[in-house]
Amino acid sequence: MNDINFAILGTGGIGRRALEVSVAKDELMPIAACDRHGIAVDHGGLDVDELLAATEGNIASDGGTAIESSGDGIKEHGDDKGVVTSRQAVSTETPIEDIIAEHEAIDAVLIALPNLEHDFIPNIAERFADAGYEGVLVDVLKRSRVIGMLDEREEQLEESGITFVCGAGATPGLLTGAAALASQSFVEIEEIEIWWGVGLKSGYEDNRGTVREDIAHLPDYDIESARDLSDEDIEEIVDAHDGVIKFNDMEHADDVLLERAGICDTEDVTVGGILDLRNDQKPTTTTVKVTGRTFDGDVGTNTFELDDDTSMEANVNGPALGYLKAAVRRNRTDDYGVYGPAELMPGF
Amino acid sequence: MNDINFAILGTGGIGRRALEVSVAKDELMPIAACDRHGIAVDHGGLDVDELLAATEGNIASDGGTAIESSGDGIKEHGDDKGVVTSRQAVSTETPIEDIIAEHEAIDAVLIALPNLEHDFIPNIAERFADAGYEGVLVDVLKRSRVIGMLDEREEQLEESGITFVCGAGATPGLLTGAAALASQSFVEIEEIEIWWGVGLKSGYEDNRGTVREDIAHLPDYDIESARDLSDEDIEEIVDAHDGVIKFNDMEHADDVLLERAGICDTEDVTVGGILDLRNDQKPTTTTVKVTGRTFDGDVGTNTFELDDDTSMEANVNGPALGYLKAAVRRNRTDDYGVYGPAELMPGF
């Protein structure tokens, strides 16, 4: 495959880790990165080590998977905020516009920003399309409803020449793809169970976005009420659970993404998991179980299991860049539009 | 996706089962099928039930996965041989030419023929290209060296407009794809272990091609010597193993196909398994284990496991048609050439 010049919107948890993973990938060259205060651009390739070292302790506190977040969300340990602490970066009031201005040099963009409003990421896609961007956009969103908003913009994305892959992290993302592949033994799917374990010893302070978003999945909360919680409220909730929060029947986009691919109905998919904020060790093993009926009439359950020693960050960012590469290949054959991870798998 | 008109070369184990699986897939319409004595064509869609009922007991004895085979290989329980027992079929001396003559109506072809010579399937691809076929070819081969022969013909295939997916059955195929996906947690792969279990109570008589090919993987045999064995020789070998044959370090194309996708070196891949010819129950659970190092320095093993109740036939034919659908999507965006299953996954 030819080289891929990519940009990252957001240098928080995901953005920084994706840059780190990309160093191991010869074909991927990061040429631009931004957060809400600054932008770093180098068409010859960013110096990832310098950028990571400079922003250490200055990252946006989205914990790597923040989708819903509130407040400024930038830690200020140094004199400067966020990415501008890097000598490669400059301060700007318009970071996303500044990245869009580079679009002719960019093959793919990883959107690693918290989805501050439901239509935040869809609107970013629209702005890229307005500018005539021809390339890939990838996000790692979790919420089902964002996908519908992207679909509404599909015609505009296609006209511009954009291939958008939504939900390309761990779950949805890696686990959605695994469910799609595990379905291949069957002609009819009865049930898909996705069960994740995440251990984040660094706790709420370092994983604000993730924790806040996950709390929105608890029975007594929703996105709006979780967004209104103060940091103290969240610390209290975490303490009340002794740092270990269990989730059942989450509104995770896996269901919509599997239905889009024609594999099953949304109601056949259940997503749950356990988040431990006091240990890095996973509190439970991340597993995908696909139960279906084979053409010859047997019912069975195929299983995909991640090693407990693979971190959330590894399982988000490897797949995000993996789907990005798959999308670039499609984009280069003029295959545009909005796709979920399961649609990039063998057809069901 | 638009409807896909497909043809099947070979109405043995794989061909018949693939037709059966395709009935469950709305977008797939089988319009042509052949074996070495006859051809059935109906542009409005073959009557699969009739074709299967007519050929029951008259199938080529490749057991569903035969690649290397010898002799005539057609069972003659009725007056006629093979597919011509169907009222939809006619006898012909030139079945493959007759399918090729229909190429303008065909979007995809599943090659479910035993690879009688190493270059048999590559030569079929060449003949489709010579005729100007624009569409998909899929095979379920197992042997590594065939892939090189396809690569030699890649330019010709691209010029014609052919997207060829090789090794798209169970292993290689489903398990290769699973290994590729399980690799996404890692930046470096240490080892990929593919271990399969197959139970075929119907024994050698009904699974000649599979058994003969598998024997070629035993320490004292190779393809040529296995091809020269008489049926009696093979029955003796099976009896000497009490019907349960264990294989280690097989020359399976998984290694080459994973290396092609840039995931690991061929020597990092081991394939083995157990074939039980006296029980339908699998003698061991089919498992893929991918051991790698994450970007953050941990070493872990991700696992994909097929339920023991999913038959070899379900795990060959679902993926074969799944990869076929994925290839049609590529073909329709003018993405031509030779691909393995792992190359159709997220990029590594």
Side-chain angles (χ1 to χ4, degrees):
Chain A
M1 186 181 282
N2 298 327
D3 282 345
I4 298 170
N5 293 339
F6 77 103
I8 290 192
L9 306 187
T11 53
I14 293 179
R16 283 166 51 85
R17 297 290 86 79
L19 284 169
E20 209 174 332
V21 173
S22 76
V23 172
K25 310 282 179 185
D26 289 340
E27 318 80 14
L28 293 178
M29 184 163 75
I31 65 160
C34 72
D35 64 13
R36 71 194 74 178
H37 299 293
I39 177 171
V41 178
D42 186 336
H43 288 203
L46 291 172
D47 179 345
V48 172
D49 289 343
E50 190 276 338
L51 197 129
L52 294 180
T55 56
E56 179 73 41
N58 284 287
I59 65 171
S61 58
D62 66 6
T65 58
I67 300 303
E68 307 301 331
S69 179
S70 71
D72 190 47
I74 297 271
K75 286 194 285 182
E76 296 173 63
H77 294 266
D79 289 338
D80 287 320
K81 291 177 172 184
V83 77
V84 294
T85 53
S86 162
R87 62 165 172 70
Q88 303 170 79
V90 293
S91 176
T92 174
E93 295 286 303
T94 54
I96 293 172
E97 283 75 3
D98 294 0
I99 295 273
I100 291 174
E102 307 288 335
H103 73 83
E104 289 189 4
I106 296 171
D107 301 307
V109 178
L110 177 62
I111 305 173
L113 294 169
N115 193 25
L116 298 168
E117 309 294 331
H118 275 312
D119 58 356
F120 182 60
I121 286 174
N123 285 346
I124 288 176
E126 204 170 313
R127 285 155 71 189
F128 271 90
D130 285 342
Y133 173 58
E134 192 178 334
V136 165
L137 297 173
V138 173
D139 74 29
V140 289
L141 65 85
K142 292 178 178 177
R143 288 275 169 181
S144 309
R145 68 191 79 173
V146 181
I147 297 158
M149 293 182 186
L150 286 167
D151 282 337
E152 287 165 19
R153 291 160 174 83
E154 183 156 33
E155 199 178 328
Q156 196 191 352
L157 298 181
E158 283 177 0
E159 273 168 26
S160 178
I162 290 173
T163 309
F164 196 117
V165 183
C166 55
T171 176
L174 175 59
L175 303 188
T176 330
L181 197 65
S183 300
Q184 292 281 308
S185 302
F186 308 113
V187 292
E188 198 181 312
I189 301 305
E190 294 186 353
E191 190 178 15
I192 294 179
E193 293 172 273
I194 294 175
W195 180 252
W196 53 262
V198 170
L200 296 169
K201 193 179 176 181
S202 47
Y204 173 57
E205 200 200 345
D206 269 6
N207 305 284
R208 297 182 196 196
T210 295
V211 177
R212 190 180 290 272
E213 196 210 349
D214 283 343
I215 282 172
H217 288 289
L218 289 175
D220 294 337
Y221 299 90
D222 59 20
I223 297 178
E224 286 70 27
S225 61
R227 195 183 299 162
D228 293 340
L229 294 171
S230 68
D231 288 345
E232 291 68 32
D233 292 338
I234 291 183
E235 295 279 15
E236 262 177 44
I237 294 167
V238 172
D239 287 342
H241 287 81
D242 289 329
V244 181
I245 311 180
K246 189 173 170 181
F247 302 91
N248 291 301
D249 293 325
M250 305 175 77
E251 184 214 336
H252 243 244
D254 296 278
D255 56 355
V256 175
L257 294 168
L258 287 161
E259 188 175 86
R260 274 175 82 91
I263 291 169
C264 61
D265 295 328
T266 55
E267 58 262 33
D268 301 328
V269 182
T270 58
V271 180
I274 302 178
L275 172 67
D276 186 342
L277 291 163
R278 305 215 167 130
N279 291 288
D280 276 338
Q281 211 179 331
K282 291 189 189 182
T284 185
T285 298
T286 298
T287 311
V288 179
K289 286 176 191 271
V290 177
T291 301
R293 192 176 51 77
T294 64
F295 82 101
D296 40 8
D298 287 315
V299 172
T301 302
N302 292 343
T303 309
F304 182 74
E305 209 174 273
L306 297 179
D307 194 300
D308 288 348
D309 284 337
T310 61
S311 64
M312 178 187 76
E313 291 82 359
N315 291 317
V316 166
N317 291 293
L321 295 178
Y323 284 117
L324 181 148
K325 288 173 75 170
V328 167
R329 155 147 228 130
R330 294 206 164 200
N331 187 263
R332 286 178 176 165
T333 62
D334 304 336
D335 188 352
Y336 309 135
V338 178
Y339 299 100
E343 290 164 277
L344 302 178
M345 293 285 124
F348 184 69
Chain B
M1 187 180 281
N2 298 327
D3 282 347
I4 297 170
N5 293 339
F6 77 103
I8 289 192
L9 306 188
T11 53
I14 293 179
R16 283 166 50 85
R17 296 289 87 79
L19 284 169
E20 208 173 333
V21 173
S22 77
V23 172
K25 310 282 178 187
D26 289 341
E27 317 81 13
L28 293 178
M29 184 162 76
I31 65 161
C34 73
D35 64 13
R36 72 194 74 178
H37 298 293
I39 178 171
V41 178
D42 187 336
H43 288 202
L46 291 171
D47 179 345
V48 172
D49 289 343
E50 190 276 339
L51 197 129
L52 294 180
T55 55
E56 179 72 41
N58 284 287
I59 65 171
S61 58
D62 65 8
T65 58
I67 300 301
E68 307 300 333
S69 180
S70 71
D72 190 46
I74 297 273
K75 287 194 285 183
E76 296 174 66
H77 293 266
D79 289 340
D80 288 319
K81 292 176 173 186
V83 76
V84 295
T85 54
S86 162
R87 61 166 171 70
Q88 302 171 79
V90 293
S91 176
T92 174
E93 296 285 303
T94 54
I96 293 171
E97 284 75 5
D98 294 0
I99 295 273
I100 291 174
E102 307 289 335
H103 73 84
E104 288 188 5
I106 296 172
D107 302 306
V109 178
L110 177 62
I111 305 173
L113 294 169
N115 192 26
L116 298 167
E117 310 294 331
H118 274 311
D119 59 356
F120 182 61
I121 285 175
N123 285 345
I124 288 176
E126 204 172 314
R127 284 154 73 189
F128 271 91
D130 285 342
Y133 173 58
E134 192 178 334
V136 165
L137 296 172
V138 174
D139 75 28
V140 290
L141 65 84
K142 290 179 181 178
R143 286 277 170 180
S144 310
R145 68 192 79 173
V146 182
I147 297 158
M149 294 181 185
L150 286 167
D151 281 337
E152 287 165 20
R153 291 160 175 83
E154 183 157 33
E155 198 178 328
Q156 196 190 353
L157 298 181
E158 284 177 0
E159 273 168 26
S160 178
I162 290 173
T163 308
F164 196 116
V165 183
C166 54
T171 177
L174 175 59
L175 304 188
T176 329
L181 197 64
S183 299
Q184 292 280 309
S185 303
F186 308 113
V187 292
E188 197 181 311
I189 301 305
E190 294 186 354
E191 190 178 16
I192 294 179
E193 294 172 273
I194 294 175
W195 180 253
W196 53 262
V198 169
L200 295 169
K201 193 178 177 182
S202 48
Y204 172 58
E205 200 200 345
D206 270 6
N207 305 284
R208 295 182 195 197
T210 295
V211 177
R212 188 180 292 272
E213 196 211 351
D214 283 342
I215 283 172
H217 288 289
L218 289 174
D220 294 338
Y221 299 90
D222 59 20
I223 298 178
E224 287 68 30
S225 62
R227 194 184 299 163
D228 293 340
L229 294 171
S230 69
D231 288 345
E232 291 68 32
D233 293 337
I234 291 182
E235 295 278 15
E236 263 177 44
I237 294 167
V238 172
D239 286 343
H241 287 81
D242 289 329
V244 181
I245 311 180
K246 188 172 170 180
F247 303 91
N248 291 302
D249 292 326
M250 306 175 77
E251 185 214 335
H252 243 245
D254 297 278
D255 57 355
V256 176
L257 294 168
L258 287 162
E259 187 175 86
R260 273 176 80 92
I263 292 169
C264 60
D265 295 329
T266 55
E267 57 263 33
D268 302 326
V269 182
T270 58
V271 181
I274 303 178
L275 172 67
D276 186 341
L277 291 162
R278 304 215 167 133
N279 291 287
D280 277 338
Q281 208 179 334
K282 291 189 187 180
T284 186
T285 298
T286 298
T287 310
V288 179
K289 285 177 194 271
V290 177
T291 301
R293 191 176 53 76
T294 63
F295 81 102
D296 40 7
D298 287 316
V299 172
T301 302
N302 292 341
T303 310
F304 182 74
E305 209 175 272
L306 297 179
D307 194 300
D308 287 348
D309 284 339
T310 61
S311 63
M312 178 186 76
E313 291 82 358
N315 291 318
V316 166
N317 291 293
L321 294 178
Y323 284 117
L324 181 147
K325 288 172 75 170
V328 167
R329 155 148 228 131
R330 294 207 164 200
N331 188 263
R332 287 179 176 164
T333 61
D334 305 336
D335 187 352
Y336 309 135
V338 178
Y339 299 99
E343 291 163 277
L344 302 178
M345 292 287 123
F348 183 69

